[in-house]
Amino acid sequence: MKASNMFAPTLREVPADAEIISHKLMLRAGMIRKTASGVYTYLPLAWRSIRKIEEIVRQEMDAKGGQEVLMPAVQPAEIWQESGRWNVYGAELWRVKDRNGRDFCLGPTHEEMISMIFRNDVRSYKQLPQLWYQIQTKYRDERRPRFGLMRSREFIMKDLYSFDLDEAGLDKSYNLMYDAYNRVFTRCGLNFRPVEADSGAIGGKGSHEFMALADAGESAILYCDTCDWAATDEIAGREPLPVEPEEMLPMEKVDTPSCGTVEDVAKFLSLPTNRIVKTMYYKADEQLVIVLVRGDRRINEIKLQSLLGCNELELADNASLSTGGQKVGYLGPVGVDKIKIYADNEVPLMYNVVVGANDGERHLLNVNYQRGDFRIDQTADLRYLEEGEQCPHCQGHVKLARGIEVGQIFKLHTKYSDSLHVNYTAEDGHERPVVMGCYGIGIGRTLAAVIEQSHDDDGIIWPMPVAPYQAVIIPVNDRETELVNTAENLYTELIAAGVEVVLDNRQERAGVKFKDADLIGYPVRITVGAKALARGNVEVRLRQNGEMQEVAVAEVKSWLQDYIAAEIAKCSIN
Ligand code: ATP
Ligand code: MG
């Protein structure tokens, strides 16, 4: 490609509406342009990288026996009504009507669609297992589209679905995909980590998210500094540590004026926050419930919602408390009789705690569940695990990192085969529900994550396997025939050798070309200048570390081929 013809509208200014580095750099490097909120055009440079990521994904899916298909983005409402998700999915489902008023949606995912294909054409156990995948555009009318390709409303996803005879088969498919995902993200040059993830309403163990580690990540990951345990903060938890028994002291009511928070109470009573039990009122589908948690802990609403099995969950405000006008901050469980009380696992083990007194600005001291001072209807793990706590699996300690979810794999078991009646005829002649799994990779989000991890003040630093081009040739002066000819000849030679190279033949100052080269992030810059050329050399500069060296013109091709091969090998996996 010659830069004079290349459509890469680079920008010197940082665009105002871009918050994170990858978004800024993709706009500045002329890779993407916004069409509407969360809807983007991929310009040539982005599209080249996207196609490379897709190719890596294809190779790894195919290697595990995946077969590529392409399903429509437009899906009839009926299949979503059949699975029950037409209502459950809510506003994120992008609904459309055809000219006859029939309902459709633009697919946010394809479990229903692929189940239908299976249901219509697969009959016998002899045809199983099957692994079908596609690389296709998805639509989700996200509440907060942002960060460019990271969270958009139209985006490219690879989604694979596995169909197996039984749970053992599913385990096998899941493990194949777990391995394939590790290979994909390694080959994309990402620093990532698979973590145990929430499997939502489906329950049971059986989901991992693949997290690219980056400060801009929207997800929090907890991991052990000693063993290899890691999980998202949504599900990370541990058994409560044993508590030293204490003598249960007599309960006492004390004034605690203007103490609206746990910290205020602790300070006023000169106690640590872990001696206090927080009492929170929640509205779960209009039903009021109480949740108790140690004062220094945070309630994990994802765990709470999955325990309660409700669709809507929100903190109840003052007005909706049916507690006789009690103030938030002074609520407690003692004497409450009509409302269901849920407690985090740590609460019933605690001695002599402080709780709100439900009586003006007062608290109760020395409250003991074990003495029957208050009631708990159900205990469960309802809190976030915190950095610094002991690892759930070993003596190590928990650390916190931020991550970008680039992929997720999921055991669906028979969730969809049950609701959509997707069966096969088993060897014994009986109809059985097929056991399914689903596995997604965000292609655009992966690209954004690569840039998020690999850049400097001047621009993008591509890992070789996903770089839009591998090298750029810059003649420093476009009026000197010898330089221009050398650059042209080198370009022709490299193209013939299969190197993905750009010749920057624009009528621009060298400084402009260098700036663009750094911004776009070509892994290798080959500068053709008079001084080095007098010695028969060109100057080769590596984008990743700025190292420069002279290479004889005749050697450039083999030097470059070796370098490219070595860089790709760095991202390979056995
Ligand atoms: P998130 O929690 O970030 O909303 P999700 O868990 O809903 O994502 P999945 O249904 O697991 O996403 O989709 C598979 C993959 O598709 C994700 O791992 C992510 O890489 C990508 N993805 C999901 N939503 C978006 C989006 N709005 N924009 C870009 N990529 C997305
Ligand atoms: Mg996910």
Side-chain angles (χ1 to χ4, degrees), residues 319-336:
S320 63
L321 295 182
S322 56
T323 52
Q326 274 309 307
K327 268 193 181 171
V328 172
Y330 291 95
L331 298 166
V334 177
V336 172

Side-chain angles (χ1 to χ4, degrees), residues 209 405 407-408 410:
E209 285 173 352
E405 181 203 320
Q408 183 165 18
F410 228 111

Side-chain angles (χ1 to χ4, degrees), residues 68-80:
E68 188 171 358
V69 299
L70 183 60
M71 290 179 271
V74 177
Q75 305 184 15
E78 286 77 12
I79 58 177
W80 286 77

Side-chain angles (χ1 to χ4, degrees), residues 89 92 108-109 140 142 148-158 209-210 218-219 234 404-410 439-446:
Y89 223 96
E92 207 171 288
T109 176
R140 294 184 185 179
E142 297 270 356
L149 301 190
M150 198 86 90
R151 182 167 297 284
S152 42
R153 297 196 295 167
E154 177 182 291
F155 59 96
I156 304 170
M157 194 203 284
K158 183 285 302 179
E209 285 173 352
F210 287 74
E218 293 181 283
S219 311
E234 297 180 350
I404 300 166
E405 181 203 320
V406 285
Q408 183 165 18
I409 59 177
F410 228 111
Y439 316 83
I441 291 178
I443 303 289
R445 195 184 278 184
T446 298

Side-chain angles (χ1 to χ4, degrees), residues 370-442:
Q370 301 177 56
R371 185 168 61 194
D373 291 346
F374 64 95
R375 164 182 58 91
I376 294 175
D377 294 293
Q378 192 174 353
T379 53
D381 173 16
L382 293 176
R383 68 180 183 92
Y384 283 104
L385 191 65
E386 304 286 354
E387 184 160 35
E389 284 193 58
Q390 196 188 315
C391 167
H393 295 295
C394 76
Q395 297 296 314
H397 289 92
V398 170
K399 289 201 163 275
L400 180 71
R402 299 210 67 81
I404 300 166
E405 181 203 320
V406 285
Q408 183 165 18
I409 59 177
F410 228 111
K411 290 185 184 173
L412 295 170
H413 306 283
T414 58
K415 181 181 158 83
Y416 293 93
S417 2
D418 290 339
S419 61
L420 297 167
H421 309 287
V422 192
N423 300 323
Y424 69 92
T425 309
E427 201 169 357
D428 61 9
H430 285 106
E431 290 269 293
R432 294 246 159 72
V434 69
V435 182
M436 289 173 64
C438 70
Y439 316 83
I441 291 178

